[in-house]
Each structure stands twice: as structure tokens, then as C-alpha cells.
Amino acid sequence: MPITLTCARCGQPFSVPPSQAARRFCSSDCFRAQQAQDTAWTTHNCAGCGAAFRVRGKDHQAGKRPYCSRTCHLAATAPPPRTCAQCGAVFRPKNTTNPAGTLQGKFCSKVCSGLAQRTRVTRTCLQCGNPFEIKLSRLKTGRGSYCGKECQSIADGTLDRVCQGCGKPFRARRSVLEKGWGSFCSQACTARRTTRLCRVCDNPFTVKQSVADDGRGLYCSNRCRHLAMQNRVRKTCPGCGKEYTVPASLATKRRTCSRPCWVKIMGTDPQRSAILARARHDQLTSRTPTRPERILYALLDELVAQHAPAASWERQHRLLDRWTVDAAIPSLRLVLQADGDYWHGLRPEYRKDPRVLSNMANDAYQDRKLTEAGWTVLRFWEHNLIHHLSACAQRLSTAITERTLPRGRS
């Protein structure tokens, strides 16, 4: 249903559909006539200086251009002029919100503001009677009665004291003395230091004299203080020769400063080495044999009975009170070891493990010592015992035969 509107140009009513309810003009002729009127330039007088200037009709009707220039606009809207309280010059404050009594609205510049604040007056000290100068701003806050802190402290109430550091007389406030201070005349005397000996390590160190007078400063560091509180004693490590501390309750038990030193000392102790060897032997004899060891034991049962019936072999045999080997034939002085491929370093890629390198070094050292003691050591790899048993049997038969031949000839 059409709706009725009034033309903004000619004032005549006109009908439009509801979708065109925002139309202002009844026709294109009225629209172009109004557009020409809005964009036409007209002459008007400036509201500030009265000079004539040209402006578009639309801006003049909306009240946007009452002034001919920005200068006239600022002159008409600027705050009223003021007189500087310091130099007497006339100025206009930049911000209209600054009241006349504030620093921003009272002086024309920062220079005049600073000069006014630095203005000083002469006063007479109420304590010593000497004249002195003070800022006006301090007088307004109730200060300016004394020429310095010394006179103020005397007026507030002080007592004569003698410095415990240098022996000179000085005056201290009552409030300071009530806190337990006031024993020294200056910071230099307060920080005066003396040399003392640490009660734990006997090393010399320096401490404030005031601390020493109070019975403190007995230890050179927190470490020594903690040692004194924990009742610890100092010892010298027999492994590395360094000094270390232990609780008094462990003084007889802790022989070394660390576990590496303890291992080093225990390795050179014959009694300790025998105990460890016996423990390792008991551990090896109580465990279940591995697959390579079972194959080696079965091979020994067959070949010893065949080539040396009078001899006997033992598994997990202990030698030199130090090592326990997989198997041995004591009468033939023959040692047999079944080495795992990985843990004894068969292949180069296995030797990247530091544990494997340690096992290889121990094997070499063991072979050398047993050889020096008159034993023959035969080592069989795990994969040879499993996949090449005939070759292992031939090698073992040769070793047994070579050791039994001299006895047969004799």
C-alpha cells in the first residue's frame, strides 16, 4: 500500500511505495534544484572580525562556518587573557580547564614558574639564631624554623654521647637511643671492622666491630656456621688427600670423601677384595646358567670323559681368590669361558656401549693374570657354541689332548 510524503523542496505531497519511505523529494527536478542551492557559494560576514568571506550555502545553513579563518575562530573561543604572576606579561593559557590559581594557569611559561618557586626568603633559626634562606613553598608547609638538621635535632631533644669507634663526643636523638642505636657518631665508625679467627676452620676474617661487641661474628661463612650447628668434624680423605667434613656420629664409619674414592681405596684393600670376590662367587653359583654355559657344560661332560677320564672339571670355579670362571679343569690348568656376543664386544657396533668396553678391559686383564699364573684360557663366543658346535668341540679336544700327552709319555 503506498504511503504519502511531503517534498523537502516544494512542500507538495506525493505517494511512494513503502520500500521508498526514505525519499525526500517528489521528483528529480526538485532534487537537482536543492542540490544546486546547497553547493552554491554565498557571501557572509565573519562572526569574529566582520570581514566578508565566501562559503557554501549548505555549510552556512548548518552553522559550520561562522568564522573566516582559524585565527578568528581561536581568538573568539580562546580563554580570557591573564597576567603572569612572575613577569607581569599578558598570556592566554593553553588549556581552558586550568584555573587561574594553578601553576599552569598562573604563569606564562615554565621559566616563570621555576623562578617563582625558587624565590627564597631570609629567616632566623630558632635554635642557634643564625639567619638562613628558605623557599616560600617550604614556609607554606610549616617548615623553615631551623637552619639545619643539627639544630632541629637539638630542639627535638638529644643527649650527649661518646662514639664507641673513635671516642669523639656527639649528640644523638632520643628516638634513636630508644631503638638501641646511637653508639657511633658516623657511618664510618659504624662500619669499622676487626679481624677474628673462625671457630671451625681457624681462617682469619673481618667483621664489623659492632657485631663482634654483641658476641656475634664467630664463623667466617654460612658453611662453617652450619658445620658448627651440625656437630661435624673434619677428616682427610686417604684417596684424594682433600679435607672433608662428616657428622660426629659417622666419623669412624666414613673413611673417604666420596664413593669414587671409596671404590679406589676398597680396590687396594686385600681383605675387602677377598670379601667382594667371595660375594661375586656366591652370586654366580646360585644363579641359573645361561644358554652358552649350558652348551659348554654338556660339551665338557662328553670330551673330558673321552680324552681325559682321570680328570674332572668344575663349573663356576674360583681362581686366585679374585675371579670366578665359567668352567675349569684344575688338573690340566685349563680355564674355559662362554662369552656373550654383545656384552663382551664381538662386533664393533657393540663396543660403543661403555659397559661393553669395561667388560673387554676386564677380560684382557683377567687373561693376562691367569696366563702369568700358569693357566690356559679358552674363550668361546655365544654364536659359535650355538651354530658351530663342532668347531668348538675340535678346539676343546685339541686343548685337552695337548695337556694330557706329556703325562701319557711319562
Side-chain angles (χ1 to χ4, degrees):
M1 182 177 181
I3 59 176
T4 303
L5 300 175
T6 302
C7 181
R9 176 66 181 173
C10 62
Q12 297 295 329
F14 63 97
S15 299
V16 294
S19 60
Q20 299 181 12
R23 281 185 57 177
R24 297 178 56 203
F25 305 99
C26 60
S27 62
S28 60
D29 294 336
C30 289
F31 171 74
R32 292 191 183 93
Q34 185 64 34
Q35 188 178 23
Q37 181 181 350
D38 292 341
T39 58
W41 289 84
T42 58
T43 303
H44 299 278
N45 294 328
C46 177
C49 62
F53 68 100
R54 293 176 61 81
V55 65
R56 290 183 183 273
K58 184 177 181 180
D59 294 341
H60 181 70
Q61 292 177 3
K64 296 181 179 180
R65 293 291 302 276
Y67 304 100
C68 62
S69 62
R70 182 171 178 80
T71 303
C72 290
H73 172 73
L74 294 177
T77 58
R82 299 176 183 176
T83 302
C84 179
Q86 177 65 25
C87 64
V90 178
F91 72 99
R92 294 179 183 272
K94 295 181 180 180
N95 192 351
T96 57
T97 60
N98 292 332
T102 61
L103 293 178
Q104 291 82 357
K106 189 176 180 180
F107 303 99
C108 61
S109 62
K110 290 184 178 181
V111 176
C112 289
S113 176
L115 291 175
Q117 293 184 75
R118 285 195 293 269
T119 301
R120 295 173 177 269
V121 295
T122 303
R123 298 291 297 270
T124 302
C125 180
L126 298 180
Q127 179 63 31
C128 62
N130 296 328
F132 66 97
E133 292 185 351
I134 190 173
K135 294 181 180 180
L136 288 174
S137 58
R138 291 180 176 269
L139 290 178
K140 295 179 181 179
T141 57
R143 292 175 290 181
S145 301
Y146 305 100
C147 60
K149 291 184 178 181
E150 184 177 357
C151 289
Q152 184 178 0
S153 63
I154 296 174
D156 292 344
T158 58
L159 297 176
D160 293 331
R161 303 279 292 184
V162 177
C163 179
Q164 296 181 6
C166 60
K168 295 181 179 180
F170 70 100
R171 300 184 66 87
R173 294 185 184 181
R174 296 181 183 271
S175 58
V176 174
L177 296 176
E178 291 175 356
K179 296 179 181 180
W181 304 338
S183 301
F184 302 93
C185 62
S186 62
Q187 182 65 27
C189 290
T190 304
R192 188 168 56 93
R193 306 183 73 87
T194 182
T195 303
R196 306 190 71 174
L197 294 178
C198 180
R199 288 192 174 184
V200 174
C201 61
D202 294 332
N203 291 331
F205 68 100
T206 60
V207 66
K208 288 185 178 180
Q209 185 63 46
S210 57
V211 175
D213 295 340
D214 294 341
R216 298 174 294 164
L218 304 178
Y219 309 102
C220 62
S221 62
N222 290 336
R223 179 174 178 272
C224 288
R225 184 172 70 253
H226 293 161
L227 293 178
M229 295 175 62
Q230 296 173 6
N231 190 21
R232 301 175 71 92
V233 296
R234 287 182 172 272
K235 298 183 65 176
T236 301
C237 179
C240 59
K242 296 182 180 179
E243 290 189 357
Y244 66 101
T245 60
V246 295
S249 58
L250 300 178
T252 58
K253 298 180 181 179
R254 287 280 301 275
R255 297 176 55 187
T256 57
C257 63
S258 61
R259 184 170 182 81
C261 290
W262 178 81
V263 173
K264 179 180 178 181
I265 294 299
M266 292 299 101
T268 58
D269 187 357
Q271 183 179 1
R272 184 68 181 181
S273 299
I275 295 174
L276 294 177
R278 190 181 306 111
R280 287 194 298 267
H281 176 74
D282 296 340
Q283 181 183 7
L284 291 174
T285 54
S286 61
R287 68 174 176 85
T288 303
T290 61
R291 182 183 180 186
E293 291 175 351
R294 292 196 300 269
I295 297 174
L296 179 61
Y297 297 158
L299 193 62
L300 282 171
D301 285 336
E302 179 182 354
L303 297 181
V304 171
Q306 179 180 355
H307 299 285
S312 62
W313 66 276
E314 298 179 4
R315 72 173 189 173
Q316 302 301 333
H317 185 66
R318 187 177 176 188
L319 294 175
L320 305 182
D321 292 334
R322 183 169 185 179
W323 293 293
T324 299
V325 297
D326 294 338
I329 306 176
S331 60
L332 303 181
R333 307 285 289 183
L334 186 62
V335 174
L336 301 105
Q337 297 275 41
D339 296 337
D341 294 346
Y342 180 83
W343 291 109
H344 292 268
L346 173 62
R347 298 180 181 179
E349 57 268 21
Y350 298 160
R351 300 169 189 172
K352 297 180 180 180
D353 192 337
R355 295 172 296 179
V356 173
L357 295 177
S358 177
N359 291 338
M360 294 176 63
N362 292 335
D363 292 344
Y365 180 73
Q366 184 187 80
D367 293 349
R368 185 172 69 254
K369 290 298 182 181
L370 291 178
T371 302
E372 293 176 357
W375 290 82
T376 300
V377 182
L378 295 182
R379 292 186 177 272
F380 298 92
W381 289 109
E382 175 185 358
H383 76 284
N384 289 333
L385 291 172
I386 297 175
H387 302 289
H388 308 285
L389 185 58
S390 59
C392 295
Q394 181 63 35
R395 181 184 176 193
L396 182 56
S397 300
T398 304
I400 295 176
T401 304
E402 290 178 354
R403 288 197 165 266
T404 56
L405 283 178
R407 292 187 178 182
R409 292 178 181 179
S410 62

